[in-house]
Amino acid sequence: MSELFDAVDALLASRAKLPPPTERKRLRAAHGLTIDEVATALKVRRATVSGWESGKTEPRPPERDAYARLLDKLAELYPAPAEPAAPVQDAAVPATFTAASAPAQARTLSTGEASEAADMTATENTHTPAPVAAAPAVAPRPARTIRTSSTSRRPGAKKAAPAGPPGSADPRFENGPLAVVDVEDGQVLAYCTGGLVLDVPAKSIPALVDWTLREAKLGQPKLAGPGKDADPLIVLTEAALERYGLPVTLTEEERLAGRIPEGHKVIKQLARAEWKLTKRGFGPWARIYRPATGSERACVQLCIPSWNALDTRHWGEAGQLPPAELARVLGVYASRVMTPRGSTAVTGLELMTALHPPTRATAPDKNGKRTGEHNPGSLGRDAIDPMNWPPCEVPDGHPVLKDLPRFHVRGPAEKLFEEAYDWARPMTDAECTLRHLVGIDVNMAFAAGANGLNVGLGEATHVQAPVFDPKLPGSWLVDLSHVDLSHVKVGKEWVKLDGSLLPSPFTPKGERPTGPAWYATPTVAYAQELGYEVRPIEAWVRYDNGRYLDGWYNRLRDAYLATMADLGVDADLAPADFLAAMDGYKARDPELAIVVSAIKATVKGGLGKLRERPRGEGWRPGEPWRALSRPTWRPDIRAAVISRTRVNLHRKIVKHAAFTGQYPVAILSDCVVYAANGTSPLDFLPHRDGKPLPGGFKLGINPGLVKHEGTQDVLWGEEVRERFNAPELNLARYIKDGTVTDVGNGE
């Protein structure tokens, strides 16, 4: 009998009466509770509670009963005012949708034109009001309904916290930046951000493109004044690919080509409908457009996960997520970074241009007409002529080097070689007596290196025997072999160090220079900072310069910090609390952890794209390749960012060595390994009066601060090096989990 009573109690709990969303928030705030505290108590995600308080989602058993009990108790403690304002009905739910109606029974309404939806029944054509919070009644639109991901009929679908509000401040894009199109029980559905699901009447890819531009209200406002709005993104699931006559996976030949054949029936359908494809064709990231007329654009981006559009190195298992969850992941990324335009690398590069558009409109002339002109602070509309590039700045095979002998290998005096660290050394006897190797990793190191960096905007000017100017971006041929790391300036004081235990700041392998070499401005400036005179032999400098990457850094930093805060890692945590918060943070919300990975990949990939190399296409050394035609092909900017990132890290290492006498054992890019007696960074990072060493390593989530990368035993390090007969094996590469898969160079 008790089981029957339990069943009845559960049934009643499933219909537990809850106060309106605004009252839920008032009660929580009245008791001084945070959303995180409520989420922890109910064992749900923070975004889930936020959704309950905004009215976008409703709790379901067993959380519903516990949530109702919490609110009831709070209501007893904090009664509502005598004349409370009438609660605003969730505009996402029709007035006829009562509590007795299960959310899973909500019907998704057509957004198609009358000709495409003529076969709908009268019941299906019921209008659904657009979600407008606290706004006067508006005419209903037959174009949308909101349905949370809990209504998904896919097995194992999880409840997805919305990526943002269902509506947008811009009515043109009120349904968000993107949609994931799927087929369920024969019905084509578009899962948007914020839990919105639209019915898709389109029966072909051309019709889908038309629907997206005419009815779906998808897209994203421009990021900068003279820029362009982001095109809507449509993600096609495997079921959608089958519905629209596209292959679920690419053949090996198609994968290598990066597209389906030009003779495919879908491409012919697009051609008949007068839609065009970009030069990269119909591949994992296809762009379908019609030439712009005036300021109006007609372009839709397709993303096809099963064609490997979402690289698992950066997007994890995103491509395997149910539609609603995938819409959430991509939606959070779009709202905080930008709508994806391709790989994370492509998006990182596109973000630079979106924040600094190449042109802007002039003031109107006497006839009221405006024209386009160069936008100051941008890289402009035209790429630098390949033959005008400084020979030292370009990679091998570039057209400006076509007269070099075929097998000529350029040395440091001919080639700018600014790369991240890959350095290690044997441990000292004293270090071998310690118990652990502790790795620390710099957060968003290359983004931090871009922050406030002055870079060239235009072409370089060649100068002989110049006086070095640390504020002038460029490439300098200078001899830095006289810089002695045993005796350097730290701040304003000269200090003595063991230079044999430090990597050189001037070369990626940490080797001391032996003569003149080409360096970017930050590297040469650091030699001056260490207290040594520099006398360049020649230089390629850029008098047209600016802090081009500041906006790019700020947007990616904010995206990273906001997403980490959602995962419970805030920027103002004390060191010990920060380490505790970082422990297992990805498991708190695996979907948001994917977003963090994608943001970090956007930084590194975007910078890498600045020096994109040839990608097949029958290229031969000495010939131009496609990337050279972009204004954003700028290897000098990439070199400057890497140079600054490397010297930033070296500066912290020197500060740490001067204060503690501790030296790194290995460095790989932005990861540094020290020998210590404890397993935590707190066991060797110095503090003065409870505060970290000024200018040294500081634990925290902000870009430029460090986190714990991993800890292994000293015996592990010695055993690995002995096993592979590699006394200088870079242990930083394996410090995270201790697994040594090979002893390659990691390229």
Side-chain angles (χ1 to χ4, degrees), residues 411-463:
E414 298 173 280
K415 179 180 179 180
L416 178 69
F417 192 64
E418 296 283 11
E419 298 295 340
Y421 267 129
D422 184 356
W423 170 87
R425 62 169 175 81
M427 283 185 275
T428 65
D429 292 343
E431 287 167 341
C432 288
T433 65
L434 302 177
R435 299 181 61 188
H436 302 287
L437 294 171
V438 183
I440 52 177
D441 182 79
V442 182
N443 296 312
M444 299 271 282
F446 294 98
N451 182 31
L453 178 64
N454 206 32
V455 300
L457 301 177
E459 293 189 9
T461 300
H462 190 226
V463 184

Side-chain angles (χ1 to χ4, degrees), residues 592-607:
L592 286 184
I594 292 174
V595 177
V596 171
S597 172
I599 292 170
K600 292 193 288 188
T602 303
V603 173
K604 290 188 176 181
L607 293 172

Side-chain angles (χ1 to χ4, degrees), residues 25-70:
K25 184 175 182 180
R26 184 193 74 81
L27 291 170
R28 174 183 59 76
H31 199 60
L33 296 174
T34 65
I35 291 179
D36 287 320
E37 288 173 324
V38 175
T40 300
L42 300 178
K43 298 182 180 179
V44 296
R45 295 189 302 220
R46 181 184 190 279
T48 301
V49 177
S50 180
W52 296 345
E53 291 188 352
S54 65
K56 296 171 193 161
T57 59
E58 286 295 311
R60 304 181 66 189
E63 294 85 4
R64 186 184 181 94
D65 184 28
Y67 190 48
R69 289 169 65 89
L70 170 65

Side-chain angles (χ1 to χ4, degrees), residues 464-488:
Q464 290 286 350
V467 176
F468 177 69
D469 182 353
K471 297 181 180 179
L472 187 60
S475 301
W476 310 78
L477 181 62
V478 57
D479 188 350
L480 299 180
S481 60
H482 62 293
V483 177
D484 183 5
L485 294 180
S486 299
H487 187 222
V488 296

Side-chain angles (χ1 to χ4, degrees), residues 478-520:
V478 57
D479 188 350
L480 299 180
S481 60
H482 62 293
V483 177
D484 183 5
L485 294 180
S486 299
H487 187 222
V488 296
K489 265 189 175 181
V490 177
K492 296 182 179 180
E493 299 179 358
W494 286 91
V495 298
K496 290 189 177 295
L497 303 172
D498 188 341
S500 67
L501 301 180
L502 286 170
S504 167
F506 310 128
T507 62
K509 291 291 185 181
E511 300 163 343
R512 186 169 179 170
T514 57
W518 285 99
Y519 303 102

Side-chain angles (χ1 to χ4, degrees), residues 720 723-724 729-730 733-734 739-747:
V720 165
R723 187 190 342 151
F724 290 103
L729 179 68
N730 195 332
R733 180 171 286 115
Y734 316 105
T739 303
V740 182
T741 53
D742 59 68
V743 290
N745 61 8
E747 293 293 329

